[in-house]
Amino acid sequence: MYLYLMNSQEINPDIEASWKSILWNEFQTDSFRQLKSFLKEEKLAGKTIYPPAPFIFNAFNSTPFDQLKVVILGQDPYHGEGQAHGLSFSVPRGIKSPPSLVNIFKELQREYQLPIPVYGDISKWAKQGVLLLNAILTVEAKTPASHQKKGWEEFTNAVIQHISDKKSGIVFILWGRYAQDKEILIDTSKHFILKSAHPSPFSATKFFGCNHFIQTNEILKQQGLSPIDWSI
């Protein structure tokens, strides 16, 4: 997990410097220590965990705190081989795009007349200030939601709270009930929230037409910020 002990009291993660400074105390909580122990036990038991260790904090490493403009919140990583690389909804090049991601691309096609990409790596968005954050950062292979209630939720809730407290004008994109339950952590007096159904095939008919990509860019431009290039 690229977490190692500096001494008997501190856990030091391999995470981008600005995030490390902000989240340092979160890594020292009992909850996070228990999470680290759980992951170690899972690995010792021979279980396969996704994403690979170097990519667990990929969302943070791809989008430094001072560059943050947008948050797209997912639930937990893809659980198929080769799919998860630490960015919500994204898959590495060479991996078939999952149905939810395909529906995201269809909405982009509708809003901006963009072609459906041949690959599903949306890390280009992350490099422009879009934090692609899952609420749970690891999962056991072929076992969706297997790492729920192991400590990740407390950690990522704290991440959202820090963003809300320390930033202003962030666009939070919340697709589906699970993401929308996090709204309580966000100060809506100084941030923007866009909500719709989840892009999964089960609710896509209610997701299509949300116009969240256009709305996000309009909000950014109103603040004097550069819009996101949503093309892939």
Side-chain angles (χ1 to χ4, degrees):
M1 187 178 171
Y2 280 31
L3 295 174
Y4 57 89
L5 294 178
M6 290 183 64
N7 55 48
S8 61
Q9 300 299 320
E10 293 184 339
I11 295 175
N12 189 18
D14 185 10
I15 190 172
E16 190 272 333
S18 65
W19 283 109
K20 181 184 286 189
S21 175
I22 290 166
L23 299 174
W24 181 259
N25 288 339
E26 308 305 330
F27 291 115
Q28 314 310 321
T29 63
D30 290 340
S31 172
F32 199 87
R33 292 176 187 280
Q34 291 167 10
L35 169 63
K36 184 175 181 288
S37 295
F38 163 74
L39 293 172
K40 182 178 179 180
E41 290 169 3
E42 293 289 281
K43 292 293 287 184
L44 289 174
K47 295 182 179 180
T48 299
I49 295 174
Y50 296 135
F55 294 97
I56 290 175
F57 293 118
N58 195 20
F60 304 97
N61 295 333
S62 299
T63 310
F65 187 77
D66 60 356
Q67 298 176 21
L68 179 61
K69 297 190 287 189
V70 180
V71 178
I72 298 180
L73 187 64
Q75 187 164 351
D76 65 342
Y78 297 122
H79 55 88
E81 183 177 2
Q83 290 183 309
H85 66 150
L87 304 175
S88 62
F89 296 101
S90 183
V91 293
R93 295 195 184 201
I95 300 296
K96 182 180 179 181
S97 296
S100 292
L101 183 56
V102 171
N103 287 335
I104 290 170
F105 290 152
K106 287 180 179 178
E107 175 62 18
L108 273 169
Q109 184 180 53
R110 192 196 66 80
E111 292 186 33
Y112 281 108
Q113 295 74 56
L114 293 172
I116 301 295
V118 296
Y119 56 85
D121 182 354
I122 58 176
S123 57
K124 177 181 176 182
W125 301 355
K127 295 174 182 176
Q128 298 176 76
V130 181
L131 182 66
L132 297 168
L133 178 67
N134 279 317
I136 303 163
L137 299 189
T138 57
V139 69
E140 182 183 343
K142 302 179 182 179
T143 314
S146 50
H147 289 185
Q148 281 188 351
K149 300 180 180 179
K150 302 299 183 181
W152 279 127
E153 292 94 336
E154 288 86 344
F155 174 74
T156 55
N157 282 353
V159 170
I160 295 168
Q161 191 77 66
H162 281 294
I163 294 171
S164 179
D165 292 345
K166 295 178 171 64
K167 304 284 280 187
S168 63
I170 301 298
V171 182
F172 288 87
I173 298 177
L174 308 179
W175 293 328
R177 184 172 180 177
Y178 186 90
Q180 290 165 19
D181 284 345
K182 306 297 183 181
E183 183 177 357
I184 193 172
L185 303 169
I186 303 165
D187 184 347
T188 56
S189 71
K190 62 174 185 171
H191 298 289
F192 303 89
I193 294 179
L194 302 179
K195 296 186 289 187
S196 81
H198 195 276
S200 80
F202 300 104
S203 53
T205 56
K206 297 179 180 179
F207 168 76
F208 293 135
C210 66
N211 288 318
H212 282 178
F213 301 102
I214 287 175
Q215 289 182 51
T216 294
N217 279 347
E218 287 301 314
I219 292 169
L220 295 177
K221 287 188 287 186
Q222 289 169 10
Q223 298 182 85
L225 300 172
S226 58
I228 306 300
D229 176 5
W230 298 110
S231 64
I232 302 300

